[in-house]
Amino acid sequence: MGEQLRVTPSTFSIAAADLQTGEFGVAVASKFLAVGAVVPWAQAGTGAIATQAWANLSYGPRGLVLLAEGRAASDVVRRLTEADGDREHRQLGVVDRHGRAAAWTGKECFHWAGHRSGNGYSCQGNILASEAVVMAMADHFERSSGPLPERLLQALEAGQSQGGDSRGQQSAALYVAKEKGSYGGYLDRYVDLRVDDDAAPIIELRKLLELHRLYFGTTPTGALTRAAGNVAREIQQLLQGLGYYSGEISGIYDPVTKAAFKQFCSIENFEERWREDDLVDREIIAFMRKRLTSKASP
């Protein structure tokens, strides 16, 4: 059927926006190898796109260009599909910069196939256990609150709870774009997580998101504590047990202790949570306790 039809990720996905934070993203799962390499497309301040079924991958970059021009989601869907002779085999969900959503499900997509769009989101799927998969995703997203990555993943979990892809599970992905959201703030690649081949990919994706929050999340003010007294003493003890500090257990967060703690944070990839003042992240201390316990275990 032509070069464009070689990739066929039959799947369920949600494309959505959080206009308050400026985040746009896609969560997707499928009985298809590495679905995250095909379906999700997003750009900060622009929008999000999910292209699937007999996926036309050009819908992603072309759609983002159209969205960047300020075009509405419905116009983007129309422009992408009307010029595609194989559009009846395609499925597409789009959310624009204003949170307007639109979708397309071609008549030749395998049953069950369909979509549901609402304010700030579009859910779509094909070869699903039933329509309940898409309905559960949409209903859950509409009722949920909190950070967009978690809401997207929860919607995916809701879809899987209704049977998901009728063929089974293999891969899942979560992609969220946010202005200066990447490590170091250089790109808009805020969350980019993939499980390419696993018997329970959505469960593994949940674990990856939790690790992402641990390593790259911003420390909430309530999670900070002053490195003094008993806190400084525990930090010194933990650092000593982990081989980073050999000085006195004084309970004073002196330059030597601080340098050792900074080295630990750098080696363990906690650069985003490191602080130059005398406040420290409780989650890092909890991580150190676990690391020392595991080190002591036979």
Side-chain angles (χ1 to χ4, degrees):
M1 292 187 181
E3 187 70 21
Q4 290 182 323
L5 298 184
R6 290 185 179 179
V7 178
T8 60
S10 303
T11 179
F12 58 104
S13 68
I14 175 171
D18 183 334
L19 300 185
Q20 291 187 333
T21 63
E23 297 170 21
F24 296 85
V26 176
V28 56
S30 179
K31 182 65 171 69
F32 182 86
L33 179 67
V35 72
V38 177
V39 172
W41 300 79
Q43 183 173 309
T46 299
I49 297 171
T51 175
Q52 55 198 53
W54 279 358
N56 184 333
L57 270 66
S58 73
Y59 281 6
R62 287 167 55 208
L64 290 177
V65 169
L66 293 171
L67 289 171
E69 293 173 354
R71 299 185 184 278
S74 57
D75 187 36
V76 172
V77 169
R78 178 182 61 81
R79 286 171 175 267
L80 291 175
T81 57
E82 69 179 3
D84 186 350
D86 291 310
R87 58 184 171 274
E88 297 302 340
H89 295 278
R90 316 291 194 197
Q91 192 168 49
L92 175 67
V94 178
V95 177
D96 65 31
R97 65 175 64 175
H98 299 294
R100 297 170 298 195
W104 167 271
T105 299
K107 297 176 182 178
E108 299 300 322
C109 290
F110 296 127
H111 190 74
W112 187 88
H115 57 264
R116 175 175 161 184
S117 300
N119 184 27
Y121 75 88
S122 177
C123 297
Q124 45 281 320
N126 59 93
I127 317 187
L128 301 185
S130 72
E131 181 181 5
V133 176
V134 167
M135 295 299 105
M137 294 173 69
D139 289 342
H140 190 93
F141 188 81
E142 288 182 353
R143 295 194 310 267
S144 67
S145 60
L148 183 62
E150 278 75 7
R151 294 179 69 199
L152 291 171
L153 181 53
Q154 290 164 11
L156 210 61
E157 291 168 337
Q160 184 58 45
S161 73
Q162 296 300 315
D165 188 323
S166 62
R167 303 165 303 167
Q169 302 184 64
Q170 186 170 8
S171 66
L174 176 63
Y175 188 91
V176 180
K178 179 180 181 180
E179 187 69 27
K180 297 182 179 180
S182 73
Y183 174 82
Y186 299 106
L187 304 172
D188 70 352
R189 190 182 300 148
Y190 178 40
V191 177
D192 186 6
L193 303 174
R194 287 170 41 176
V195 178
D196 288 345
D197 186 23
D198 192 89
I202 299 176
I203 292 175
E204 291 302 309
L205 192 62
R206 164 67 64 184
K207 294 177 183 177
L208 290 178
L209 181 58
E210 290 172 356
L211 286 173
H212 184 277
R213 292 306 194 193
L214 173 63
Y215 287 113
F216 307 120
T218 302
T219 305
T221 303
L224 294 173
T225 186
R226 195 166 300 281
N230 289 334
V231 175
R233 186 172 292 106
E234 183 183 16
I235 290 174
Q236 289 171 331
Q237 291 170 339
L238 291 169
L239 288 171
Q240 189 175 83
L242 293 168
Y244 288 86
Y245 178 75
S246 58
E248 179 185 356
I249 307 300
S250 64
I252 300 173
Y253 194 55
D254 55 25
V256 175
T257 303
K258 187 174 183 178
F261 187 45
K262 184 174 184 178
Q263 182 184 20
F264 172 84
C265 290
S266 298
I267 289 176
E268 294 294 337
N269 301 317
F270 285 117
E271 298 96 324
E272 299 289 284
R273 289 179 176 264
W274 163 256
R275 296 176 62 94
E276 291 290 347
D277 56 20
D278 62 349
L279 296 176
V280 296
D281 190 322
R282 289 195 185 97
E283 290 196 34
I284 298 178
I285 297 175
F287 179 88
M288 294 170 72
R289 294 187 193 116
K290 291 180 182 178
R291 177 57 60 85
L292 185 59
T293 298
S294 64
K295 181 181 178 181
S297 299

